[in-house]
Structures are given as C-alpha cells and as structure tokens.
Amino acid sequence: RNEPSHTVNIKSGTKLFKIVKNEKMFVNSAHHQAVNILGKNLIASAFSDDGLIEGIESIDDIFCIGVQWHPEFLIDKKDIEIFKSFIQSAKNGNKK
C-alpha cells in the first residue's frame, strides 16, 4: 500500500480536479472490486488507463468524494490536497 502502482486520469471540471489541480496522479491502488454502476447523483471523476472508475463524487453535496486508492499514504504530492480540502469543508460547515 505504500508504493505507487499506476496513474489515474482526473476528469477536468470535477471537484477532484479542482482540489488536486492536475489531470494525472500516481496512486497506490491494488483492488479486486470497483464501481460499475454509479448511484443517483454521482459522477465518475477519475479513471485508470484501462477505463476502470477510480474516483466518484456527488453532484449535489459540497464534499462527497470517493477514491479507489489510499491518499493517506501520500504517494502523490497531491494526495495531501484531498485532506486539506476535506478539513476546509468541515470548517466551513459544508457551505459553498
């Protein structure tokens, strides 16, 4: 878990993209399950090169983001930005 395994492509215009300010991240995912069908009001925000969904987010909520890697290991220098954004959102009371 503490070593990078592949890149993910971040979809422009998504909340995740606005947080990490980058189109690609090097991540440490090694999963045996993945999102196939998105739930109501969710969009895919990141993909692996083979098209697997690596990130999802709510179109309704201020901060509702899920990723298929472990940003807590800080593999990519942008992982910390996900946590900073989460903390800021909590401080703001989830207000825009």
Side-chain angles (χ1 to χ4, degrees):
R1 290 185 178 167
N2 60 350
E3 294 182 16
S5 58
H6 65 91
T7 58
V8 294
N9 304 297
I10 313 294
K11 188 175 178 182
S12 180
T14 62
K15 293 172 187 167
L16 184 59
F17 182 85
K18 290 174 186 171
I19 291 168
V20 300
K21 296 176 179 61
N22 210 342
E23 294 177 345
K24 290 194 178 283
M25 290 181 68
F26 207 33
V27 301
N28 62 338
S29 64
H31 40 75
H32 64 277
Q33 295 178 327
V35 173
N36 184 31
I37 299 170
L38 294 166
K40 183 179 178 184
N41 297 326
L42 294 176
I43 61 166
S45 57
F47 302 86
S48 59
D49 285 339
D50 62 1
L52 189 71
I53 295 173
E54 294 278 351
I56 61 172
E57 60 188 59
S58 169
I59 59 172
D60 294 330
D61 299 302
I62 300 297
F63 195 99
C64 181
I65 297 171
V67 296
Q68 280 281 105
W69 65 90
H70 294 270
E72 71 274 15
F73 285 98
L74 303 174
I75 300 295
D76 188 287
K77 64 182 179 182
K78 294 295 186 170
D79 280 325
I80 194 68
E81 300 304 324
I82 297 169
F83 289 103
K84 287 178 181 178
S85 180
F86 174 68
I87 291 166
Q88 189 60 50
S89 179
K91 283 182 179 179
N92 293 342
N94 216 20
K95 297 176 186 171
K96 288 187 179 183

